[in-house]
């Protein structure tokens, strides 16, 4: 091989390796899902199944906020009143709790499901902005659809563990007072009562369509799963097909 040819081959090898390393570095390695769906649509249960069956991590802003309320932190005290009335907690508080969590924990997870976040147009915009700091993240939006009246009935039957927040349906439980996972006491959340649920559904309807616009503008695809008359396992099967 003469010298010019050798130099050309060497140059091509260097450019090729640099390109390969660059692609490897910038290719998304983590997936973050957001599950959109009215309260009671089954997004929490689906998240649970994905954690158990696929090893995903779930992050529920509702749980983070409830923890903050239980621990009486400054943020918890500010959030409490909104939550008791079934209203959304202000975006500044929610973004602050998400920011903290991401800074402390994102490096330790592979696939994350955001349960109940982003929940407003502003949160969606701020979150897409926040993700620019994490180039190794691919963000996917999944919407679970179900009629309001089915949800009100479902929520009336929902119990959660006071200690570990595991959700249960009263209809499927043998003993409706004890958590099968940790032995904690099962309670009906204040915000699962029918009048609060109706208020939450109203809030959900008002916020979901501007959020879709934010995602569309950001070039994100919104996948949907129809949850009517589906068991949690059927919902999970559909989710797995979607992910594949
Ligand atoms: P969840 O457990 O997701 O149903 O949330 C319970 C309550 O926490 C809601 O009714 C809101 O008051 C509050 N909350 C949870 N997530 C958010 C969010 N992303 N933005 C505003 N408020 C939230």
């Amino acid at each position: 091989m003469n010298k010019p040819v050798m130099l050309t081959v060497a140059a091509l090898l260097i450019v090729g390796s640099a390109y390969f390393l660059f692609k490897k570095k910038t290719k998304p390695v983590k997936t973050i899902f957001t599950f959109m769906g009215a309260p009671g649509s089954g997004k929490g249960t689906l998240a649970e199944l994905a954690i158990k069956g696929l090893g995903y991590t779930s992050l529920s802003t509702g749980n983070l906020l409830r923890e903050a309320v239980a621990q009486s932190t400054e943020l918890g005290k500010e959030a409490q009143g909104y939550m008791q009335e079934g209203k959304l907690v202000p975006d500044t508080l929610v973004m602050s709790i998400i920011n903290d969590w991401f800074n402390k924990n994102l490096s330790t997870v592979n696939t994350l499901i955001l349960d109940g976040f982003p929940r407003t147009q502003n949160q969606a915009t701020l979150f897409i902005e926040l993700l620019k700091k994490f180039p190794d993240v691919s963000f996917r939006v999944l919407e679970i659809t179900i009629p309001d009246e089915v949800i009100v009935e479902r929520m009336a039957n929902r119990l959660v563990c006071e200690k570990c927040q595991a959700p249960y349906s009263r209809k499927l439980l043998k003993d409706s007072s004890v958590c099968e996972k940790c032995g904690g006491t099962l309670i009906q959340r204040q915000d699962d009562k029918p009048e609060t649920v109706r208020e939450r559904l109203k809030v959900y309807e008002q916020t979901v369509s501007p959020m879709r616009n934010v995602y569309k503008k950001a070039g994100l695809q919104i996948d949907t799963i129809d949850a009517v008359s589906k068991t949690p396992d059927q919902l999970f099967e559909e989710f797995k097909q979607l992910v594949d």
Side-chain angles (χ1 to χ4, degrees):
M1 216 188 283
N2 63 31
K3 206 173 168 192
V5 173
M6 275 170 68
L7 283 174
T8 311
V9 170
L12 282 173
L13 280 174
I14 291 167
V15 171
S17 323
Y19 176 76
F20 177 75
L21 285 173
F22 176 76
K23 285 291 277 182
K24 205 175 164 194
K25 214 175 153 198
T26 55
K27 189 175 174 281
V29 292
K30 289 179 202 293
T31 305
I32 298 185
F33 286 96
T34 180
F35 284 7
M36 294 206 298
S41 58
K43 56 187 164 55
T45 310
L46 181 60
E48 283 258 313
L49 291 171
I51 296 164
K52 273 195 222 124
L54 303 169
Y56 290 4
T57 303
S58 158
L59 178 62
S60 149
T61 39
N63 284 350
L64 286 183
L65 288 164
R66 276 186 289 278
E67 268 168 35
V69 171
Q71 289 164 8
S72 285
T73 63
E74 279 310 306
L75 192 146
K77 284 181 205 157
E78 281 188 63
Q80 189 168 25
Y82 297 95
M83 294 172 77
Q84 276 171 352
E85 289 172 29
K87 295 206 169 103
L88 289 182
V89 170
D91 292 342
T92 43
L93 298 183
V94 177
M95 288 314 296
S96 149
I97 220 165
I98 279 284
N99 247 305
D100 277 2
W101 194 93
F102 266 58
N103 289 332
K104 282 185 202 138
N105 305 295
L106 190 64
S107 58
T108 64
V109 300
N110 281 327
T111 306
L112 181 68
I113 299 171
L114 297 171
D115 173 5
F117 175 85
R119 210 181 278 194
T120 66
Q121 182 180 18
N122 193 34
Q123 284 176 19
T125 307
L126 293 171
F127 185 61
I128 287 170
E129 202 51 44
L130 175 77
L131 284 182
K132 290 184 182 156
K133 286 202 285 182
F134 304 96
D136 60 341
V137 164
S138 149
F139 182 41
R140 293 190 63 174
V141 183
L142 173 71
E143 184 166 7
I144 301 167
T145 57
I146 189 161
D148 285 5
E149 64 274 21
V150 179
I151 289 179
V152 173
E153 207 248 321
R154 246 190 212 186
M155 301 290 263
N157 283 302
R158 182 163 82 160
L159 297 172
V160 291
C161 173
E162 206 171 25
K163 215 161 127 196
C164 74
Q165 307 295 331
Y168 292 91
S169 168
R170 214 190 288 264
K171 284 182 184 168
L172 302 176
L173 279 170
K174 284 187 204 108
D175 178 348
S176 62
S177 62
V178 179
C179 176
E180 287 169 1
K181 286 175 193 146
C182 76
T185 309
L186 299 186
I187 51 161
Q188 180 176 47
R189 275 170 25 191
Q190 183 66 28
D191 51 8
D192 280 349
K193 305 217 158 121
E195 59 284 8
T196 316
V197 172
R198 287 199 181 93
E199 170 66 21
R200 291 167 75 197
L201 289 172
K202 208 170 87 192
V203 172
Y204 177 74
E205 281 310 318
Q206 284 163 357
T207 53
V208 77
S209 90
M211 281 178 58
R212 286 198 198 98
N213 290 337
V214 171
Y215 294 136
K216 276 184 208 151
K217 271 196 191 150
L220 293 163
Q221 176 182 320
I222 301 174
D223 294 310
T224 55
I225 296 184
D226 178 3
V228 183
S229 316
K230 284 192 189 131
T231 63
D233 285 340
Q234 287 167 332
L235 213 63
F236 183 44
E237 280 310 310
E238 229 174 284
F239 175 70
K240 281 196 285 190
Q241 280 169 20
L242 196 88
V243 173
D244 283 346

